[in-house]
Amino acid sequence: MKNKRILKGLILLILIGLLVSSVGCNQPKKSLSSFDTPLTLEEKLEDFEYAYNLIKENYPFLEVNKRLHGVDWLANKEEYVERIKNTRTDDEFMMELSNIMRELNNGHTHVVEKEHFKWYHKAYSQDRILFENPWSKVFNEEKVLARYNYSKQEDDEEIGYFGNTNPAFETDIIVPNKVAYLKIHIMDGGRVEEDGKEIRKFYEEIKDYEKLIIDIRGNSGGSDHYWQANVISPLAKEPISVSNYLLVRGDYGNPFYRSRGIKLKPISHLDQDILKKMPEEVERNFQRYWKVTKTIKPKDPIDFRGKIYLLVDYRVYSSSESFAAFCKDSGFATLVGETTGGDGIGIDPLFFSLPNSGIVIRFSSMMALNGDFTINEEVKTTPHVKVSAVPSKDYRYDKAIQYVLNEN
């Protein structure tokens, strides 16, 4: 009996091995051992076709790109194919592919460059973000690690947010006992607690001031947790909520959304009165939606009773854009400066790897609508008060700061 059980076990293992082998053969894939030889033209074209189709079926801003930049990306396919054909080396292929992806004109959509791979791998492979999540799986594929010549031991190195290990903020007193200033350079997810302790001390010192200026000009993003924990929670007097609709195309993102507990609904389930307020392309080009309500609760509130101003410019993007949009839609702060950069509402961008080269591509997968049902990526966030947002170290020549100082 024991021998029979062993025999059955061996047969089962063989069958599983054959099954895994057959599944793997269905995908074009360059063997790991052959990465020391250049990609063939056929392999390059297969990779481009894979990327093209994935963008065609899943990318949310194709129509926005036409309207804002006059680029019909899908219609340019033959031009892109010719450009790929003209590449001689793997590095040239990667560079040309990067140029092609840039023509989608979205800061979250691009080829992951070799010099940035280390940061992405560490950020999406940490235990605090569900182990084996879809993001981590992409970055830990053998072909990907081989293409980027990456060893997982490098994750042990302290690299900060794209190399930053310094505090992500600075403070100042512009008018003693009246106007305080907090500059946030980047929403550094690795410094939330460390920076938060110092920012809270600053709040305690200025809690009786008339005005607090929060300056995020030039802040290109990072982690929403930074501004939620270090700005909203300490200064909020009661829970603050903002709701947004996010629209989705295609199926590639399904495992990513499931890992975040996102339950998408068919567009057909939208109330018709709500649907009529949305851009016309929603019903035509999108299949599902998610209505997200972000609620931030006070945490050991400081009881700051003054007025809060948020300085913004066109470089405000990603999670700093999420912060600006939240402040405007909730009324938490008065926005001063220029229209922001957009694309900050939703979840992290998604990643996919190319089957032959192992090159990783990042892309935005959700089209977020502002509170007034305009497309955030297209309209961005417009400030309450429009003035020049060019910063100056000498506050006398900083028009945004001067507006705050002179506003009654």
Side-chain angles (χ1 to χ4, degrees):
M1 289 295 292
K2 183 177 179 180
N3 289 336
K4 287 183 179 179
R5 285 198 297 271
I6 293 173
L7 181 60
K8 288 181 180 179
L10 289 172
I11 293 172
L12 180 60
L13 287 173
I14 292 170
L15 289 174
I16 292 174
L18 291 172
L19 177 61
V20 171
S21 175
S22 66
V23 170
C25 291
N26 290 332
Q27 299 179 4
K29 183 187 296 184
K30 192 175 182 72
S31 65
L32 299 179
S33 61
S34 63
F35 272 137
D36 56 349
T37 61
L39 294 161
T40 66
L41 176 57
E42 181 183 8
E43 288 169 338
K44 294 176 186 177
L45 293 177
E46 281 180 349
D47 273 9
F48 171 70
E49 188 73 21
Y50 181 90
Y52 179 89
N53 288 330
L54 196 144
I55 293 297
K56 179 181 179 180
E57 295 167 7
N58 297 274
Y59 185 66
F61 302 130
L62 293 170
E63 297 301 317
V64 171
N65 197 23
K66 291 179 187 177
R67 292 192 293 269
L68 286 186
H69 305 285
V71 177
D72 188 343
W73 194 85
L74 294 180
N76 292 341
K77 182 178 183 181
E78 292 308 313
E79 174 196 330
Y80 298 151
V81 167
E82 291 305 312
R83 285 160 58 175
I84 295 296
K85 287 180 179 178
N86 288 330
T87 61
R88 294 166 298 177
T89 66
D90 288 8
D91 285 343
E92 285 186 8
F93 169 62
M94 190 172 187
M95 185 180 299
E96 192 58 68
L97 191 61
S98 181
N99 292 335
I100 290 169
M101 298 307 294
R102 283 196 192 100
E103 294 189 21
L104 286 165
N105 292 293
N106 174 264
H108 284 140
T109 303
H110 56 85
V111 168
V112 172
E113 305 294 343
K114 290 182 179 180
E115 59 266 30
H116 292 155
F117 184 85
K118 179 188 294 186
W119 184 87
Y120 283 117
H121 188 279
K122 183 171 183 177
Y124 288 105
S125 298
Q126 296 181 67
D127 291 340
R128 63 184 179 82
I129 304 173
L130 298 176
F131 181 67
E132 287 298 303
N133 66 76
W135 286 268
S136 177
K137 285 183 178 179
V138 172
F139 283 100
N140 284 291
E141 292 173 7
E142 286 187 50
K143 62 183 177 183
V144 169
L145 295 172
R147 170 56 58 187
Y148 287 88
N149 193 26
Y150 188 77
S151 168
K152 294 181 183 180
Q153 282 73 21
E154 295 181 54
D155 281 355
D156 295 332
E157 299 176 14
E158 181 60 42
I159 56 176
Y161 186 84
F162 281 116
N164 176 60
T165 56
N166 298 316
F169 75 98
E170 59 184 274
T171 62
D172 198 3
I173 302 299
I174 297 180
V175 180
N177 300 314
K178 288 188 177 181
V179 182
Y181 176 84
L182 169 65
K183 171 72 175 181
I184 302 177
H185 298 285
I186 198 163
M187 303 299 180
D188 191 337
R191 295 191 59 89
V192 175
E193 293 184 13
E194 193 172 1
D195 285 3
K197 293 175 183 178
E198 298 305 314
I199 292 174
R200 180 172 284 275
K201 290 178 184 177
F202 175 67
Y203 290 152
E204 291 285 1
E205 294 171 5
I206 58 97
K207 66 180 180 180
D208 295 323
Y209 279 42
E210 297 174 5
K211 299 175 181 178
L212 169 61
I213 297 173
I214 301 174
D215 189 352
I216 59 169
R217 291 174 296 181
N219 187 321
S220 60
S223 168
D224 281 0
H225 186 43
Y226 191 95
W227 61 263
Q228 291 174 7
N230 293 341
V231 180
I232 305 293
S233 287
L235 297 176
K237 295 176 176 59
E238 58 186 11
I240 303 174
S241 296
V242 168
S243 295
N244 295 96
Y245 286 92
L246 295 103
L247 297 312
V248 171
R249 302 177 65 239
D251 296 322
Y252 177 79
N254 288 346
F256 294 84
Y257 306 140
R258 283 196 297 268
S259 75
R260 294 291 176 89
I262 296 172
K263 296 180 180 179
L264 300 172
K265 297 180 181 179
I267 294 293
S268 59
H269 288 191
L270 273 171
D271 182 278
Q272 286 300 306
D273 290 335
I274 295 294
L275 187 59
K276 289 176 183 177
K277 296 178 182 179
M278 294 181 176
E280 184 271 336
E281 68 200 69
V282 169
E283 189 171 16
R284 184 179 72 246
N285 296 335
F286 292 79
Q287 294 83 44
R288 292 169 295 166
Y289 77 95
W290 175 43
K291 184 180 180 182
V292 57
T293 298
K294 183 178 293 182
T295 299
I296 304 176
K297 299 179 180 179
K299 183 176 181 181
D300 301 324
I302 299 297
D303 194 28
F304 176 78
R305 298 182 182 181
K307 192 168 181 179
I308 300 173
Y309 297 84
L310 183 69
L311 307 189
V312 295
D313 66 4
Y314 71 94
R315 292 171 294 178
V316 168
Y317 193 73
S318 191
S319 63
S320 61
E321 164 68 18
S322 176
F323 178 39
F326 185 91
C327 286
K328 184 175 182 182
D329 286 343
S330 69
F332 177 81
T334 298
L335 274 63
V336 178
E338 299 170 346
T339 299
T340 62
D343 199 19
I345 305 170
I347 67 169
D348 299 41
L350 310 188
F351 296 84
F352 64 91
S353 65
L354 300 183
N356 294 311
S357 64
I359 291 171
V360 175
I361 295 178
R362 184 189 194 207
F363 75 103
S364 276
S365 67
M366 290 182 155
M367 185 171 81
L369 302 185
N370 293 316
D372 61 359
F373 295 98
T374 55
I375 300 170
N376 179 259
E377 169 68 356
E378 184 170 10
V379 177
K380 332 294 187 186
T381 297
T382 55
H384 296 101
V385 180
K386 289 188 176 182
V387 298
S388 171
V390 178
S392 174
K393 292 183 179 179
D394 188 332
Y395 298 144
R396 294 175 299 171
Y397 303 106
D398 192 311
K399 293 184 178 180
I401 289 178
Q402 285 301 310
Y403 170 83
V404 176
L405 294 180
N406 296 318
E407 201 261 346
N408 295 322

